[in-house]
């Protein structure tokens, strides 16, 4: 079930297609568990400070952060639904009682269109790269997860970034695909190809270090736990624990970049909604300086606990279900190979 085993051919492990199925299943399960936490958080935010038209907020389904724009003229949107909540638990109970349990997954389907493919690309690329790097790095193969995680994240972010920008634009301006095509062509003509990857830099500043640290610590933690409990292969509990701990550590270290990225994402979304030039949006370094000037260094670590509560279970659920899926296919392939040899 380890990355090295699972990244080879069907006789030595599982196929890339099986890796993709395992990661897709893990992504869907993760989003189903984590999304209700963010839906409640957004409803509590909207209760304290009602969202005006054109206001942007960050929506997380446990896999990716998405910018959502308060739609003009729609007062019955899920994030504006009436209700008075005294806290998180009260919000859960009242939303289920008054709006039905399905309301806890409000806004999820549109974001899964991008989040699931991004996760599949990321995890499959990681396993494939890690297997290759371990063979090539020899004595330094312990560092293969670090490099594989960083490279895989760059790849998935590069593929998804233009699609997320297009999704935000469609939502904010209610454009048809034909109108959107004209806008994209105009942007390409006036600002070049780089305009499709606006916000890509801040994303990488947070996600690449996060991924590198996450995978390195996860593989180390998983190996240590297996050795400590004298297991040959990691159990579900081991992968869950290693995922939660490594995700927690990486989220704390990269928190300043998360604060900056979120602020820039919201600013870009609101400038886009108001049809102002996004060129006036500040650089990552300038946003960081501004946060420190306004709130001190502690401002870069704002939202520490909410991020930890969100990231730790998301990482734990995703990696444990992914590893479980790989183990399932590994057993299935082993049984098939034994049958083929018997024939």
């Amino acid at each position: 079930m380890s990355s090295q085993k699972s990244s080879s051919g069907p006789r030595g492990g599982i196929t890339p297609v099986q890796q993709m199925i395992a990661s897709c299943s893990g992504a869907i399960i993760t989003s189903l568990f984590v999304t209700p936490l963010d839906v409640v958080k957004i409803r509590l935010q909207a209760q304290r400070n009602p969202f005006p038209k054109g206001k942007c907020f960050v929506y997380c389904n446990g896999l990716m952060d998405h910018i959502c724009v308060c739609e003009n003229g729609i007062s019955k949107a899920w994030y504006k639904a009436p209700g008075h909540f005294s806290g998180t638990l009260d919000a859960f109970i009242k939303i289920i009682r008054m709006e039905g349990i399905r309301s806890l997954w409000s806004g999820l389907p549109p974001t899964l269109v991008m989040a699931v493919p991004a996760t599949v690309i990321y995890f499959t690329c990681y396993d494939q790269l890690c297997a290759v790097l371990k063979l090539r790095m020899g004595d330094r193969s312990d560092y293969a997860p670090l490099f594989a995680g960083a490279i895989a994240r760059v790849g998935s972010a590069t593929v998804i970034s233009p699609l997320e920008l297009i999704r935000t634009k469609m939502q904010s301006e209610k454009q048809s695909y034909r109108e959107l095509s004209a806008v994209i062509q105009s942007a390409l003509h006036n600002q070049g190809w780089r305009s499709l990857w606006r916000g890509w830099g801040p994303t990488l500043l947070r996600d690449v270090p996060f991924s590198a640290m996450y995978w390195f610590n996860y593989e180390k933690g998983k190996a240590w736990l297996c050795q400590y409990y004298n297991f040959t292969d990691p159990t579900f509990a081991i992968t869950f624990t290693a995922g939660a701990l490594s995700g927690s550590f990486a989220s704390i270290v990269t928190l300043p970049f998360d604060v900056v990225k979120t602020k820039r994402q919201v600013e870009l979304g609101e400038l886009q909604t108001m049809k102002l030039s996004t060129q006036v949006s500040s650089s990552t370094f300038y946003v960081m300086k501004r946060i420190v000037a306004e709130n001190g260094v502690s401002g870069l670590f704002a939202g520490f606990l909410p991020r930890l509560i969100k990231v730790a279970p998301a990482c734990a659920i995703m990696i444990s279900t992914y590893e479980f899926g790989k183990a399932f296919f590994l057993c299935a392939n082993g049984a098939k190979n034994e049958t083929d040899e018997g024939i």
Side-chain angles (χ1 to χ4, degrees):
M1 194 166 74
S2 68
S3 295
Q4 193 168 3
K5 279 183 182 179
S6 64
S7 298
S8 54
R11 280 202 172 270
I14 67 173
T15 66
V17 171
Q18 289 171 333
Q19 288 172 347
M20 292 170 76
I21 294 169
S23 57
C24 181
S25 303
I28 292 169
I29 291 168
T30 302
S31 66
L32 291 176
F33 273 98
V34 177
T35 297
L37 296 171
D38 215 57
V39 167
V40 167
K41 182 200 77 175
I42 291 165
R43 290 288 294 274
L44 288 168
Q45 284 177 343
Q47 176 180 280
R48 288 193 297 269
N49 301 297
F51 297 152
K53 294 176 183 179
K55 170 72 176 174
C56 289
F57 61 91
V58 178
Y59 175 98
C60 179
N61 52 28
L63 305 171
M64 282 178 67
D65 290 338
H66 301 270
I67 286 294
C68 292
V69 184
C70 292
E71 300 170 15
N72 294 336
I74 298 181
S75 58
K76 294 183 180 179
W78 65 268
Y79 44 82
K80 291 184 178 179
H84 181 72
F85 314 120
S86 59
T88 302
L89 184 61
D90 185 56
F92 268 108
I93 293 168
K94 285 182 178 175
I95 289 171
I96 293 170
R97 187 183 297 161
M98 297 165 63
E99 303 170 34
I101 195 165
R102 289 177 60 185
S103 295
L104 292 175
W105 289 274
S106 300
L108 178 61
T111 65
L112 284 183
V113 174
M114 260 159 298
V116 171
T119 305
V120 169
I121 293 168
Y122 173 48
F123 275 78
T124 306
C125 285
Y126 167 77
D127 261 350
Q128 295 294 315
L129 284 166
C130 196
V132 171
L133 289 172
K134 280 183 176 180
L135 289 172
R136 292 181 176 240
M137 292 177 74
D139 295 340
R140 298 182 180 179
S141 61
D142 284 353
Y143 294 100
L146 189 146
F147 293 108
I151 296 166
R153 179 58 77 185
V154 171
S156 63
T158 303
V159 170
I160 295 299
S161 188
L163 300 177
E164 179 65 9
L165 200 70
I166 290 167
R167 186 194 68 83
T168 306
K169 197 167 187 67
M170 284 187 73
Q171 187 197 21
S172 64
E173 298 181 19
K174 287 293 179 185
Q175 294 173 327
S176 67
Y177 284 102
R178 184 175 295 176
E179 290 170 328
L180 186 67
S181 176
V183 170
I184 292 169
Q185 286 176 6
S186 174
L188 290 175
H189 178 74
N190 296 325
Q191 301 171 36
W193 284 97
R194 289 179 63 186
S195 62
L196 291 179
W197 280 271
R198 187 172 288 118
W200 178 76
T203 301
L204 293 189
L205 279 174
R206 182 196 68 173
D207 291 355
V208 171
F210 178 95
S211 296
M213 284 186 282
Y214 171 76
W215 284 110
F216 179 76
N217 291 319
Y218 168 73
E219 297 290 0
K220 285 284 187 184
K222 183 175 71 172
W224 184 85
L225 288 169
C226 284
Q227 187 179 8
Y228 183 81
Y229 289 105
N230 200 26
F231 285 121
T232 306
D233 292 317
T235 62
F236 185 89
I238 284 175
T239 56
F240 189 95
T241 304
L245 291 174
S246 57
S248 299
F249 175 76
S251 69
I252 293 167
V253 174
T254 58
L255 183 58
F257 295 113
D258 179 65
V259 172
V260 172
K261 176 183 178 283
T262 302
K263 196 170 185 66
R264 279 205 81 214
Q265 269 189 316
V266 171
E267 284 177 356
L268 282 168
E270 290 177 351
L271 286 169
Q272 196 176 73
T273 302
M274 292 182 285
K275 298 184 179 179
L276 298 174
S277 172
T278 51
Q279 295 295 325
V280 300
S281 181
S282 308
S283 68
T284 302
F285 180 67
Y286 183 82
V287 171
M288 196 172 279
K289 280 180 64 180
R290 197 173 74 203
I291 291 170
V292 172
E294 291 173 0
N295 306 300
V297 176
S298 61
L300 294 174
F301 293 89
F304 164 80
L305 194 58
R307 176 160 163 78
L308 197 61
I309 291 169
K310 178 177 68 178
V311 171
C315 288
I317 295 166
M318 180 64 218
I319 195 63
S320 55
T321 50
Y322 177 57
E323 293 277 27
F324 181 84
K326 291 198 298 180
F328 170 81
F329 284 119
L330 196 63
C331 290
N333 291 345
K336 183 177 181 298
N337 289 337
E338 286 177 11
T339 304
D340 291 345
E341 287 169 6
I343 293 172

